[in-house]
Amino acid sequence: MVKQKKEEVVEEAVTVEEPVEVVETPNIVGVASANADFSTLVVAVGATELVETLSGEGPFTVFAPTNATFEKLPAGTVETLLKPESKDKLTAVLTYHVVSGKFEVAQVIEAINANNGKFEVATVQGGKITLSLENGNVVLTDANGGKATVAVADVLRFKRCDSRH
């Protein structure tokens, strides 16, 4: 009788790390920060807790007011909104300018034309903005009847790059 010896097999887990290239694409906050025309907006977003939200999962479309728009407000309005005690009001104002989803100008114009000249969108704040066309330009009308013309469209065509793999 021949005795066979059992061999014990020990497996080792080997972790192979491959270099991962992370490509950072601009988000809304990054694009606004890089454009001097939006410096007041960037300061306002920073005064709220919206930087993380707008840098997060999207896509979002921001009907971003320029510095020139902020300058048209009554004297002291921006300064008052930037105070810590006005944070909730400032957050409401800013989120009224944000809609969930990617709204490029071609699709917006198509939606306006398909809906008898007006297309209503829900804002992140919970309100509604009506989009229409005037002289070939997309115009936003708020709940109070205030109007703004979209001056620059399709500024950001990137979605956030999630570097967690």
Side-chain angles (χ1 to χ4, degrees):
M1 176 183 234
V2 178
K3 250 184 170 176
Q4 291 184 349
K5 210 176 187 182
K6 282 187 173 179
E7 287 186 29
E8 189 174 316
V9 177
V10 178
E11 291 184 24
E12 266 185 60
V14 178
T15 304
V16 178
E17 291 192 30
E18 295 180 28
V20 176
E21 183 181 344
V22 176
V23 178
E24 293 293 327
T25 56
N27 55 44
I28 291 168
V29 177
V31 169
S33 296
N35 187 326
D37 289 337
F38 296 110
S39 62
T40 305
L41 175 65
V42 171
V43 170
V45 168
T48 64
E49 293 174 1
L50 294 175
V51 171
E52 188 173 316
T53 300
L54 295 176
S55 297
E57 285 298 317
F60 298 105
T61 298
V62 178
F63 298 110
T66 62
N67 293 345
T69 302
F70 282 107
E71 290 167 7
K72 291 178 183 176
L73 294 172
T77 302
V78 173
E79 293 77 12
T80 300
L81 286 171
L82 291 174
K83 291 181 179 179
E85 60 270 20
S86 299
K87 182 177 162 186
D88 289 343
K89 185 172 185 170
L90 179 59
T91 299
V93 168
L94 294 175
T95 55
Y96 189 80
H97 290 80
V98 179
V99 295
S100 239
K102 183 177 175 181
F103 289 82
E104 290 184 346
V105 73
Q107 289 92 359
V108 167
I109 290 171
E110 187 176 304
I112 291 168
N113 289 330
N115 288 284
N116 298 318
K118 293 185 178 189
F119 179 59
E120 191 172 81
V121 293
T123 70
V124 171
Q125 180 257 5
K128 303 247 186 257
I129 294 176
T130 302
L131 309 175
S132 60
L133 290 174
E134 289 183 16
N135 300 318
N137 296 310
V138 175
V139 174
L140 314 173
T141 305
D142 66 21
N144 297 321
K147 291 185 176 189
T149 300
V150 175
V152 180
D154 301 341
V155 173
L156 179 62
R157 293 178 184 256
F158 303 99
K159 190 174 177 191
R160 178 177 173 262
C161 176
D162 192 349
S163 59
R164 294 169 287 164
H165 293 276

